[in-house]
């Protein structure tokens, strides 16, 4: 007959696959990694990201929403600073002269929207 010490479990009865001493708090902190997220301090970037959480925006709508006159540059900075992809999808529309032209629409991916929500939840944290 084999005896097992009180504080040890035999293999296959749970606990044997866990490595190290992880608390619940450490586990959840390691999943979200909030400390590694940058803080959105620029008000134009903040307004742009807030709007993109709600809906897709054309370049012109982004200019008005963010208060910028060069939204492509604003989106480039957001991609670089915050690790977002935010693709600009071209779609055909008719201009005022009746000609078909391509306009850009900023259409964040589902992963982008999740990351944006994480970024915006950290406002004011330092």
């Amino acid at each position: 007959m084999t005896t097992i010490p009180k504080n040890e479990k035999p293999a296959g009865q749970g606990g044997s696959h866990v490595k190290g001493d992880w608390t619940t708090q450490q586990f959840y902190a390691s999943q979200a990694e909030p400390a590694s997220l940058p803080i959105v301090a620029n008000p134009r970037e903040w307004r742009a990201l807030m709007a993109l959480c709600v809906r897709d925006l054309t370049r012109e709508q982004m200019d008005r929403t963010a208060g910028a006159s060069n939204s492509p540059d604003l989106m480039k900075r957001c991609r670089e600073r915050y690790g977002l992809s935010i693709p600009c999808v071209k779609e055909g529309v008719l201009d005022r002269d009746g000609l078909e032209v391509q306009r850009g629409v900023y259409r964040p991916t589902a992963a982008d929207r999740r990351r944006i929500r994480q970024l915006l939840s950290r406002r004011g944290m330092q």
Side-chain angles (χ1 to χ4, degrees):
M1 180 164 134
T2 309
T3 59
I4 300 170
K6 286 185 201 177
N7 59 355
E8 289 185 22
K9 293 181 181 179
Q13 289 190 7
S16 62
H17 64 283
V18 178
K19 294 181 178 153
D21 248 356
W22 281 66
T23 65
T24 305
Q25 185 178 7
Q26 288 171 327
F27 176 77
Y28 286 110
S30 70
Q31 298 296 315
E33 298 180 26
S36 66
L37 288 173
I39 294 171
V40 181
N42 183 315
R44 287 182 178 166
E45 292 172 1
W46 177 265
R47 289 188 296 265
L49 294 176
M50 281 290 287
L52 287 173
C53 272
V54 178
R55 64 189 174 101
D56 301 342
L57 296 170
T58 65
R59 189 200 56 79
E60 294 84 3
Q61 290 170 330
M62 181 61 75
D63 283 348
R64 286 190 300 274
T65 301
S69 60
N70 189 357
S71 56
D73 181 61
L74 177 67
M75 289 293 95
K76 177 182 173 237
R77 283 185 287 142
C78 286
R79 289 179 187 117
E80 291 171 354
R81 287 182 183 167
Y82 309 118
L84 301 167
S85 61
I86 309 177
C88 184
V89 179
K90 302 290 184 184
E91 60 181 34
V93 295
L94 296 177
D95 69 2
R96 70 173 86 184
D97 298 322
L99 301 173
E100 185 170 337
V101 296
Q102 300 290 313
R103 75 170 172 191
V105 178
Y106 294 108
R107 189 167 289 152
T109 63
D112 284 338
R113 291 187 199 271
R114 279 191 300 276
R115 179 133 174 110
I116 290 170
R117 282 192 297 273
Q118 288 176 338
L119 288 164
L120 297 179
S121 71
R122 290 181 45 83
R123 182 161 192 170
M125 294 184 187
Q126 301 206 13

